[in-house]
């Protein structure tokens, strides 16, 4: 079959233009993300934690918890602060008890989320404070959703930081998630002792005590429900 030089030149030109269009699209997306990220501003949640947030975030008190929500180009941010209380907070007086508290928290997140799977679980530090990082993935049937989660207990409260995104947005959501978590700042004088509980604000039992499981389960279930409602509302807006 004979292919004229002009036909070949046309195909080559078309392929070249298609590649230029793809590269230009990626460049526009990258520049948009960079410009958006530069608009994030440090926000002092309280005397314990500071984090950078995108414009337009909201802060509300809901069912005894403080909830901060915000939207990025490819995901959503959800922060909850739950004060210690005598019904659900166990005694945390040692580093090992703090680790057990985090482990139990992650276990209940998994058991409270139908069709959910846990990955990337690790213990790390923010400043001098111990935190637990974990990723929860849920397939609801309409596409997989991911939540990068950080758990921090300090100054008589549990802070849960979440970055939520759809699987199809992973490539662009991950840099935003990294920006969010890397922006966390803790006062330099905050140390491990600030992560221990006050006896008057706890159940008086250790984190491993199974009698606390019902209360912890309910609290974490509520946290996941709030996150689900938040995602649904955000998706309807766009």
């Amino acid at each position: 079959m004979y292919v004229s030089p002009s036909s070949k030149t046309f195909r080559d030109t078309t392929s070249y233009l298609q590649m230029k269009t793809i590269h230009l699209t990626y460049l526009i997306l990258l520049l948009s993300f960079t410009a958006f990220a530069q608009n994030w501003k440090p926000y002092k949640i309280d005397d314990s934690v500071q984090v950078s947030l995108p414009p337009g975030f909201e802060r509300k008190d809901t069912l005894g918890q403080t909830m901060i929500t915000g939207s990025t180009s490819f995901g959503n941010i959800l922060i909850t602060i739950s004060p210690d209380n005598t019904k659900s907070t166990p005694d945390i007086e040692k580093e090992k008890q703090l680790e057990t508290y985090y482990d139990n928290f992650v276990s209940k997140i998994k058991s409270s989320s139908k069709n959910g799977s846990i990955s990337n679980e690790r213990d790390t530090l923010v400043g001098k404070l111990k935190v637990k990082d974990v990723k929860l993935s849920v397939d609801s049937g309409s596409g997989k959703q991911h939540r990068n989660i950080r758990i921090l207990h300090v100054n008589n409260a549990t802070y849960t930081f979440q970055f939520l995104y759809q699987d199809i947005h992973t490539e662009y959501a991950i840099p935003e998630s990294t920006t969010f978590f890397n922006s966390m700042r803790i006062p330099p004088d905050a140390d491990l002792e600030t992560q221990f509980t006050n006896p008057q604000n706890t159940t008086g039992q250790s984190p491993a005590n199974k009698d606390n499981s019902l209360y912890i389960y309910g609290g974490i279930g509520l946290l996941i429900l709030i996150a689900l409602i938040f995602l649904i509302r955000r998706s309807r807006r766009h």
Side-chain angles (χ1 to χ4, degrees):
M1 177 179 177
Y2 173 73
V3 178
S4 68
S6 60
S7 298
K8 183 176 184 303
T9 301
F10 176 77
R11 288 198 300 270
D12 290 344
T13 301
T14 301
S15 298
Y16 174 77
L17 290 175
Q18 289 175 339
M19 289 299 297
K20 292 291 288 184
T21 301
I22 292 173
H23 290 158
L24 182 60
T25 300
Y26 278 112
L27 180 60
I28 292 173
L29 287 171
L30 178 61
L31 291 175
S32 298
F33 166 73
T34 302
F36 186 84
Q38 289 175 345
N39 288 330
W40 290 34
K41 301 296 183 183
Y43 175 68
K44 186 177 180 180
I45 297 176
D46 51 30
D47 291 338
S48 300
V49 186
Q50 174 181 292
V51 66
S52 291
L53 295 172
F57 70 88
E58 298 178 355
R59 178 171 182 153
K60 297 179 180 178
D61 289 324
T62 304
L63 301 176
Q65 293 183 328
T66 298
M67 183 168 65
I68 301 170
T69 60
S71 293
T72 69
S73 297
F74 299 98
N76 293 296
I77 289 171
L78 174 62
I79 303 171
T80 57
I81 302 101
S82 304
D84 291 349
N85 65 81
T86 57
K87 290 185 177 180
S88 63
T89 307
D91 273 345
I92 302 173
E93 300 176 358
K94 300 177 182 178
E95 182 176 352
K96 183 62 177 177
Q97 291 178 323
L98 179 64
E99 293 172 353
T100 301
Y101 175 69
Y102 286 160
D103 290 341
N104 289 345
F105 202 108
V106 171
S107 296
K108 296 307 178 181
I109 288 176
K110 182 177 181 180
S111 62
S112 300
S113 180
K114 188 177 181 180
N115 301 322
S117 61
I118 292 291
S119 62
N120 300 345
E121 182 177 348
R122 70 185 185 117
D123 296 299
T124 186
L125 294 173
V126 176
K128 301 175 185 176
L129 304 186
K130 297 180 68 67
V131 300
K132 170 78 79 174
D133 286 351
V134 66
K135 178 179 179 180
L136 173 67
S137 299
V138 180
D139 191 346
S140 61
S142 58
K144 186 173 287 187
Q145 300 172 346
H146 304 290
R147 305 177 195 175
N148 294 333
I149 304 171
R150 173 165 291 170
I151 308 160
L152 165 68
H153 183 274
V154 64
N155 290 336
N156 305 308
T158 299
Y159 298 71
T160 308
F161 302 84
Q162 299 189 62
F163 188 90
L164 307 90
Y165 60 97
Q166 301 288 338
D167 187 66
I168 59 174
H169 296 152
T170 296
E171 182 178 357
Y172 304 107
I174 292 300
E176 293 184 336
S177 177
T178 300
T179 296
F180 172 57
F181 287 106
N182 285 351
S183 73
M184 288 183 61
R185 297 292 182 268
I186 303 295
D189 59 343
D191 56 18
L192 183 62
E193 289 189 1
T194 64
Q195 300 194 262
F196 299 155
T197 54
N198 291 326
Q200 65 268 26
N201 297 329
T202 72
T203 61
Q205 299 170 330
S206 70
N209 194 303
K210 294 182 179 180
D211 292 339
N212 294 330
S213 62
L214 179 61
Y215 297 107
I216 297 174
Y217 181 93
I220 297 173
L222 176 61
L223 179 67
I224 292 175
L225 177 61
I226 291 173
L228 179 60
I229 294 173
F230 172 73
L231 267 183
I232 292 173
R233 287 178 177 175
R234 290 287 180 180
S235 63
R236 286 177 178 174
R237 292 178 185 176
H238 297 288

